[in-house]
Amino acid sequence: MGNRLTQIATRTGDNGTTGLGNNQRVSKNSLRVHAMGEVDELNSHIGLLLCEDMPADVRDLLVEVQHQLFNLGGELSIPGFELLKVEAVAALDEALEKYNAQLPKLEEFILPAGTRGASQAHVCRTVARRAERACVALGNEEALNDTPRQYLNRLSDLMFVLARVLNRMNGGDDVYWKSARMQKDPAA
């Protein structure tokens, strides 16, 4: 990226279009711009999550995720370009394995609740799924590398696992769904 923003309010988008990284102008309602926006929102929610208390290794992981999401956004902004590498997906796979191994097996569905940090991780999980759906929609209409979709899929899974980690950070636990089945037959 040779050109850095020196002026934020350019007024070039007043007509409902925005510029992509390849200088092409597209509607702000295009599938590509929607996908970029969803990734940007996800990155912002992770930034909010980083305001919470958490283990240093989780913090370091989330900071790296923010950088990779910026790469993903950059890739989306330049059709045909690749910035997000398959190694980033592999890093999420490693993190998933590491943190999930520390958790007890789930016996029931859990609610997106608990500590504020865990709840924010669940928000990140759902926004990651929305960003993934936006990338799938874009990929159905235009050529798109597989890595962005795979990264968002893995990241959503990781955010679920990290929510569970954050709920246990100070001796807490998941908030379990009180299903009718479990209330009728607690041994089930």
Side-chain angles (χ1 to χ4, degrees):
M1 296 215 137
N3 296 333
R4 298 289 179 199
L5 294 176
T6 57
Q7 182 180 355
I8 300 303
T10 62
R11 295 171 183 74
T12 57
D14 288 352
N15 66 353
T17 65
T18 191
L20 297 180
N22 63 358
N23 294 322
Q24 176 186 3
R25 295 211 58 88
V26 297
S27 169
K28 289 184 179 185
N29 195 34
S30 75
L31 291 175
R32 185 169 296 278
V33 174
H34 276 284
M36 290 164 37
E38 301 296 354
V39 170
D40 187 32
E41 182 180 349
L42 173 57
N43 210 341
S44 296
H45 277 293
I46 291 174
L48 182 59
L49 175 56
L50 284 165
C51 294
E52 299 296 325
D53 188 32
M54 65 185 64
D57 58 330
V58 172
R59 180 173 305 285
D60 292 343
L61 172 62
L62 291 175
V63 168
E64 176 60 22
V65 165
Q66 282 198 300
H67 286 279
Q68 295 302 334
L69 287 174
F70 216 79
N71 286 339
L72 195 162
E75 183 168 326
L76 291 172
S77 77
I78 306 171
F81 199 65
E82 180 189 12
L83 274 173
L84 187 67
K85 306 296 184 192
V86 294
E87 292 83 9
V89 177
L92 292 185
D93 281 330
E94 288 175 24
L96 266 165
E97 187 175 325
K98 171 186 173 181
Y99 291 105
N100 202 40
Q102 303 169 14
L103 297 169
K105 182 180 174 198
L106 278 174
E107 302 289 330
E108 185 57 83
F109 288 105
I110 63 171
L111 298 178
T115 66
R116 191 169 59 185
S119 297
Q120 181 61 29
H122 279 295
V123 170
C124 293
R125 171 185 59 80
T126 61
V127 175
R129 285 288 181 221
R130 186 168 10 107
E132 179 187 8
R133 290 189 302 271
C135 284
V136 168
L138 175 60
N140 287 341
E141 300 296 322
E142 298 181 36
L144 187 65
N145 297 323
D146 291 334
T147 308
R149 186 186 65 256
Q150 293 166 351
Y151 189 84
L152 292 167
N153 183 37
R154 231 53 118 257
L155 181 56
S156 178
D157 293 340
L158 178 62
M159 296 313 298
F160 178 84
V161 168
L162 292 181
R164 297 188 70 208
V165 168
L166 294 174
N167 264 338
R168 285 171 173 69
M169 192 173 73
N170 294 316
D173 197 1
D174 296 313
V175 178
Y176 293 93
W177 173 47
K178 295 178 183 172
S179 71
R181 178 183 63 88
M182 291 296 284
Q183 290 176 356
K184 288 179 186 175
D185 183 12

